[in-house]
Amino acid sequence: MSTTTASAADSPSRRLQTPTLDRESAALLHSISEHGGYAYVSMAALAAGGDLRAAEAAREMAWEQLHSGPWHSVLPAWRDAYSMACLHVARHHYANGEFREALRVLDLGIIMGGTLLRKDLDSAVEKVAEETRRGGARVSDLGNSEHRLVDREFNVAEVLQLLPMKSLSSKLVVKKSELSLEKFLKDHYLSGSPVIISDCMAHWPAKMKWNNEDYLLSVAGDRTVPVEYTRNPYTHTHTQREENRVEWIFVGKNYLCTEWKQELITFSEFLQRIKSDGCSPGGPTYLAQHPLFDQINELRKDIFIPDYCFAGGGELRSLNAWFGPAGTVTPLHHDPHHNILAQVVGKKYIRLYSSSFSEELFPYSGTMLSNSSQVDLDDIDEGKFPKVQELEFVDCILEEGEMLYIPPKWWHYVRSLTTSLSVSFWWSEGESSDTS
């Protein structure tokens, strides 16, 4: 195997600094060798000397280990090994001025790798991303662009034809403006009662910026993100899973659809698919329940954690993005934590059932889907679930700029009515909260 010269990579002006990798490399390689990764250790040693092919080989070996079984069974050392290999590969591309390729590899390290080398990955991304943006429009110059993601209204009567039966015909979620923290605690948090909170997002930079396609492209266009899609009308299943873990389940109308796919693509390609209005070869594409703001710091600066998320003295458990075209659906499910769903761009229809109806909503018995209902609200099997139509629920159209509080264990169904960009804030009640 030939070795790529390291002279360019060692140039002070074109070198990614990796202090954690430099400090922890020996211990990490020792741990990997203890788990049988002798071939990886050999390739990693060559990669550290500037051999690109060895670095790619090491990355492939680690990738195979990441996909050798269920995610929870992957040894942490192999996740860190993948991050290490990504840093070696990215270092080579950066030294050769291949900034977009370096950025792609670093994103893969962030999405699929471990935590040991995260600071090195983040600092490298910051440096490489700045290089990719040089010569382009300044972010501050893009606030008034006319390239909007959502710029049309829709007819409510037409929308009703797409929603589950009885939608918007019964009890709506109560809506309150400028709700104080004290009133939120008393009237909703302690009693476990959903509420829409309006007029509390006006100070977010995201409120102005995220409907601007040029802005999103400028800060995230070259970044790699995980998306999911099916060729059939799209349904996303929200499963019981480790927080911020890269794992998806895709289902069609009968939960047995095999035409699903998960993919890692650039954010710019993702936006193109959304603009195609679901006409891309793979069907509607969804960026669902992804910790996008841990990955792309520029977008994290555009939002603020609502004060309501500190109710109960708990702590924020996860902060996730939901971004996709009209028609994406998350079927009936519940979550273990308190949840504020902030609707930044577009509109969503949401239906909620009290946690007291869990038995009547027939949860799946399997552990991965135990928080999901067997009831398909878009096509209810009245022979199998004859009493579901009689259950009391509340629903709403969550408008741009509004936040919805969803108490723990409350069942909810969500459908995007337009191109939609939402942020979910999960928080716990403290150390005793249920995280199952």
Side-chain angles (χ1 to χ4, degrees), residues 130 132-143 145 214-215 217-219:
E130 179 60 31
T132 63
R133 285 196 294 266
R134 284 185 180 176
R138 293 182 301 160
V139 171
S140 59
D141 293 337
L142 298 170
S145 170
D214 291 336
Y215 172 76
L217 286 172
S218 72
V219 300

Side-chain angles (χ1 to χ4, degrees), residues 178-181 184 197 200 306-311 340 403 427:
E178 299 180 356
L179 181 64
S180 70
L181 183 58
F184 171 75
I197 309 166
C200 58
D307 290 342
Y308 309 109
C309 296
F310 300 105
I340 289 281
M403 298 180 181
W427 79 97

Side-chain angles (χ1 to χ4, degrees), residues 6 9-10 15 21 25 29 42-52 54-55 84 88 91:
D10 291 334
R15 180 176 174 83
L21 175 61
S25 178
L29 291 175
S42 297
M43 290 298 101
L46 294 173
D51 189 325
L52 175 61
M84 169 189 277
H88 287 315
R91 179 181 288 173

Side-chain angles (χ1 to χ4, degrees), residues 104-119:
R104 184 187 70 85
V105 173
L106 291 168
D107 273 326
L108 292 175
I110 290 173
I111 295 169
M112 301 298 295
T115 60
L116 177 66
L117 304 177
R118 182 57 189 266
K119 287 185 177 180

Side-chain angles (χ1 to χ4, degrees), residues 377-421:
L377 289 181
D378 291 311
D379 186 16
I380 296 176
D381 185 338
E382 296 187 3
K384 191 175 181 180
F385 312 113
K387 297 183 178 181
V388 167
Q389 293 283 25
E390 302 173 10
L391 297 180
E392 180 181 341
F393 63 85
V394 294
D395 63 354
C396 67
I397 292 180
L398 192 64
E399 303 280 351
E400 199 168 282
E402 295 180 339
M403 298 180 181
L404 171 65
Y405 168 61
I406 304 174
K409 304 294 184 180
W410 269 66
W411 295 84
H412 48 289
Y413 161 102
V414 184
R415 174 183 283 270
S416 296
L417 304 179
T418 67
T419 294
S420 172
L421 212 173

